[in-house]
Amino acid sequence: RFQVPKIHFVPAPMCALLAHGLRTGTVIWGCDLGKCMIFCYKDAKEEAAIGPFDFATSEPWIVVSLLRKAEEELETAERRTALENIVFSVQAEEPDELPRRAPGGFIVRHDVVQQAPEPEQPMKLCEVPWQNVVKVKEMLQKLPTCTLSSAVLHEPRSDDVLHGAEILAASWPSELAAFEATPEEEESW
């Protein structure tokens, strides 16, 4: 007669990966409200989480160094297949709310002000340095390791988390069940 809706807590970076049609890959997760991390997935299962890095001030070389750490953590060749596809995912507030440079090289974000190094060019509102896919690709191609130097990089898309969640719900309901929220057996206050 009536049903209680089910709630699922699916990792947002995994949804970003699914939105690109991948179940195995690495997500460079940039979020201006939470932690920015690099997540590696094999068959939609998390293999590694590396980071964090700073959303507003991290440069492409920081992302590349974290990818190198991910490569070290994924010891076997089978696990390193997660590095063959690298997805950039950017979760940010509206452009007028993004961190911006104030005079003197300070990063201003709401009521938080902190000194930041001067960039080569002023930071645009909708772009943060670490998400420069072309620069990251150039740096990866110079690496001596074949896994990262031949990786396919995927540009960010604005709706990746919601689109990936829709794909998961429609295509893999049995896997979605693994993320179902269950009621607490004991009260915890």
Side-chain angles (χ1 to χ4, degrees), residues 98-185:
L98 284 176
R100 52 193 168 273
R101 292 208 179 268
F106 288 87
I107 294 289
V108 177
R109 182 165 181 264
H110 308 294
D111 59 342
V112 179
V113 178
Q114 59 189 18
Q115 180 68 42
E118 284 299 318
E120 295 172 6
Q121 298 176 356
M123 182 170 50
K124 297 177 185 170
L125 284 180
C126 294
E127 297 176 9
V128 285
W130 62 266
Q131 87 176 69
N132 186 335
V133 177
V134 173
K135 186 113 175 169
V136 170
K137 181 67 175 173
E138 289 172 0
M139 295 172 89
L140 289 176
Q141 287 175 336
K142 293 177 183 174
L143 295 176
T145 60
C146 61
T147 306
L148 286 172
S149 62
S150 62
V152 176
L153 274 60
H154 302 265
E155 295 276 345
R157 48 181 289 180
S158 61
D159 63 344
D160 58 359
V161 174
L162 293 177
H163 185 66
E166 290 171 350
I167 290 171
L168 180 63
S171 304
W172 299 293
S174 61
E175 289 185 25
L176 183 62
F179 299 103
E180 185 177 340
T182 56
E184 294 178 350
E185 297 292 327

Side-chain angles (χ1 to χ4, degrees), residues 2-14:
F2 72 93
Q3 294 180 340
V4 176
K6 294 181 179 180
I7 298 174
H8 299 87
F9 294 107
V10 181
M14 187 178 84

Side-chain angles (χ1 to χ4, degrees), residues 42-111:
K42 173 115 174 75
D43 295 323
K45 304 281 187 252
E46 186 178 304
E47 294 284 325
I50 311 295
F53 63 93
D54 185 81
F55 181 84
T57 61
S58 290
E59 297 288 332
W61 68 267
I62 292 174
V63 169
V64 171
S65 67
L66 292 173
L67 288 168
R68 296 286 308 259
K69 284 183 183 177
E71 185 178 42
E72 291 171 12
E73 191 164 315
L74 301 171
E75 299 115 12
T76 65
E78 182 181 333
R79 291 180 70 202
R80 283 193 181 141
T81 58
L83 296 169
E84 292 174 2
N85 284 284
I86 300 173
V87 172
F88 284 74
S89 182
V90 180
Q91 309 304 315
E93 296 178 23
E94 294 298 317
D96 62 333
E97 297 294 325
L98 284 176
R100 52 193 168 273
R101 292 208 179 268
F106 288 87
I107 294 289
V108 177
R109 182 165 181 264
H110 308 294
D111 59 342

